[in-house]
Amino acid sequence: FMERIDSDRKKAAKSVMEFKFNKKRARVLTKSSEFPEWGKGVIYWMFRDQRIHDNWSLLYAQKLAIKNEVPLHVCFCRLPKFLEATIRHFDFIFKGLEEVEEDCKKLNIQFHFLIGCGKDILPDFVEKHKLGAVVIDFSPLRLPMSWANELSKSLPKDVPLVQVDSHNVVPCWHASDKKEYAARTIRSKINSKLDEFLTDFPPVIIHPFTSELKADPIDWDTAGKTLEVDRTVGPVESVIPGFKAGMKNLYSFISRRIKIYDEGRNDPTKDALSNVSPWLHFGQISPQRCALSAKKFASKYKKSCDAFCEELIVRRELSENFCYYNKNYDNIEGAESWARKTLEDHRSDKRQHVYTKQELEDAKTHDSLWNAAQRQMCREGKMHGFLRMYWAKKILEWTKSPEEALSISIYLNDKYSLDGRDPNGYVGCMWSICGTHDQGWREREIFGKIRYMNFEGCKRKFNVDNFILRHRK
Ligand code: FAD
């Protein structure tokens, strides 16, 4: 599998210099866009796309460095904590970065593991080492958006800051220029651009210009110990971090599981899903590589291949669109007016069961399916996609207000899911609780016109007892 991927990369181009980079994937955030004559290197601040291979940001940075005949640097800026991320998340990040460090060594690229937030420390670092350009990843979430914005103002004069969307197949700003209403309104906009953007990646090459500035050696153990994070939520043994493990999982999906994806994906007792989301979330593998692999190696399972690409490209990039164009992507203000109204109309409806955040976190509800799903997320770092919808909708039914339901579902998802803190997570919770990207349904208690799901419906779809048995206390 990896050999065939390597050969595809070589077929795409022998080197980044032979490869025509599609400039629509990049945008300059500073006034200056030219590499200054005095520049002694290019630096790529890697934050969302934590991989070397199949990474447009790095490919862009290497092309720029080679064109200007200067060395190439990559940095990761480590914060002591990040929102509510736990040691489960940081362990995944750090182990993935160990591989990035090794790959950089092989490719004559300096990998700097810096302490602090890039927006604060990079301006001095760039000035001190006379780096002539900075390349960054794209994320539609408010914190990284604000970092990019601040950095564009604080870099030394004449140093361009270029942002590359390496997370989406069709760059988010190019897919659509407005907040889309639903999958049906963005689908053709994305699909009509796939010929242009769903192309193979060239390989990163051994960088031909060696830097005098050497990166400090990294002590990964100490780095892990100095984090100020919740250590009660530990790493998940069965989900191995890093590019290699991510590609291995992709291969096992493409070669074995994808054939039942279309018919089996809504059955949590079947092993039909790709499980790629943790690696995608941390950018350890590329969604574009997943789509290329599915199309190349599993096209004979057309229905499944199409269904997988619909989720991976259209639905995922719809989430990016929502967060990019809606600053209230994680609160009720961000819902459509029909949804806000119906939730308001049913605010005072009597709730038969009301649980606290702690009771929900401890999986102590009357519903054994819900408890099993909650336990699956806590233990395995991932809840089955179908149950995620049921799980969030029940939180709406069992808490005092839609605001509380949304905030608890985001809190639990971000704390326990390896793929949490993602546009998909915010949109998933908003879809379930606030009808985002959905339509109005028959009006009922508490939910109003928001789509309802119940235990009986789950029983019709899959063997609920079997799932509960697997995830018992
Ligand atoms: P597969 O079905 O194999 O799909 C492959 C990829 O397609 C996924 O990794 C994901 O990138 C994308 N995808 C699949 N389903 C969706 C969807 N409904 N919307 C957008 N993209 C999708 N996804 C996250 O990545 N992180 C989250 O924190 C997250 N939280 C969610 C919370 C709720 C309440 C809901 C309803 C959904 C959430 N999702 C989240 C979306 C979806 O459930 C997961 O992407 C999926 O379960 C991940 O498993 P997989 O990679 O095996 O999926």
Side-chain angles (χ1 to χ4, degrees), residues 258-310:
I258 198 168
K259 49 172 145 335
I260 58 160
Y261 185 82
D262 186 46
E263 45 142 305
R265 68 193 152 126
N266 284 333
D267 183 342
T269 64
K270 286 202 178 127
D271 192 12
L273 299 185
S274 69
N275 294 328
V276 291
S277 59
W279 292 278
L280 289 191
H281 171 70
F282 292 109
Q284 294 181 351
I285 63 170
S286 141
Q288 185 154 337
R289 172 59 67 201
C290 298
L292 288 169
S293 302
K295 284 184 186 287
K296 177 152 189 181
F297 301 109
S299 58
K300 66 176 167 184
Y301 308 114
K302 188 171 180 330
K303 263 183 135 182
S304 282
C305 191
D306 289 350
F308 176 62
C309 288
E310 162 77 11

Side-chain angles (χ1 to χ4, degrees), residues 224-352:
K225 282 183 195 140
T226 53
L227 289 168
E228 297 160 18
V229 295
D230 179 351
R231 288 172 193 272
T232 60
V233 186
V236 179
E237 304 273 301
S238 55
V239 191
I240 302 168
F243 174 77
K244 282 193 203 115
M247 290 302 283
K248 206 168 160 190
N249 170 64
L250 175 64
Y251 176 66
S252 80
F253 173 64
I254 300 288
S255 58
R256 290 193 299 109
R257 305 195 294 279
I258 198 168
K259 49 172 145 335
I260 58 160
Y261 185 82
D262 186 46
E263 45 142 305
R265 68 193 152 126
N266 284 333
D267 183 342
T269 64
K270 286 202 178 127
D271 192 12
L273 299 185
S274 69
N275 294 328
V276 291
S277 59
W279 292 278
L280 289 191
H281 171 70
F282 292 109
Q284 294 181 351
I285 63 170
S286 141
Q288 185 154 337
R289 172 59 67 201
C290 298
L292 288 169
S293 302
K295 284 184 186 287
K296 177 152 189 181
F297 301 109
S299 58
K300 66 176 167 184
Y301 308 114
K302 188 171 180 330
K303 263 183 135 182
S304 282
C305 191
D306 289 350
F308 176 62
C309 288
E310 162 77 11
E311 300 297 338
L312 178 76
I313 305 179
V314 177
R315 300 274 165 176
R316 199 182 49 76
E317 299 191 6
L318 175 64
S319 301
E320 302 266 322
N321 168 280
F322 183 75
C323 296
Y324 186 56
Y325 289 112
N326 183 354
K327 65 179 175 13
N328 289 312
Y329 56 73
D330 55 356
N331 65 70
I332 305 268
E333 293 299 304
E336 295 293 335
S337 52
W338 70 265
R340 287 206 308 270
K341 177 169 185 317
T342 202
L343 287 170
E344 196 53 47
D345 290 347
H346 292 270
R347 182 177 288 283
S348 327
D349 290 358
K350 187 168 168 14
R351 273 82 171 142
Q352 205 188 338

Side-chain angles (χ1 to χ4, degrees), residues 52 288 378 384 399 465:
I52 291 298
Q288 185 154 337
C378 292
H384 188 279
T399 47
D465 291 340

Side-chain angles (χ1 to χ4, degrees), residues 43 45-47 75-82 90 93-94 97 111-125 143 147 150-151 223 226-228:
I43 187 159
W45 171 18
M46 173 185 277
F47 59 77
C75 73
F76 185 86
C77 301
R78 175 173 80 80
L79 296 165
K81 56 181 172 186
F82 183 68
F90 275 97
I93 295 176
F94 283 10
L97 289 177
F111 179 67
H112 306 268
F113 192 61
L114 305 176
I115 296 180
C117 181
K119 75 171 168 65
D120 303 320
I121 56 178
L122 278 179
D124 285 348
F125 190 86
L143 212 51
W147 294 343
E150 284 183 44
L151 189 59
T226 53
L227 289 168
E228 297 160 18

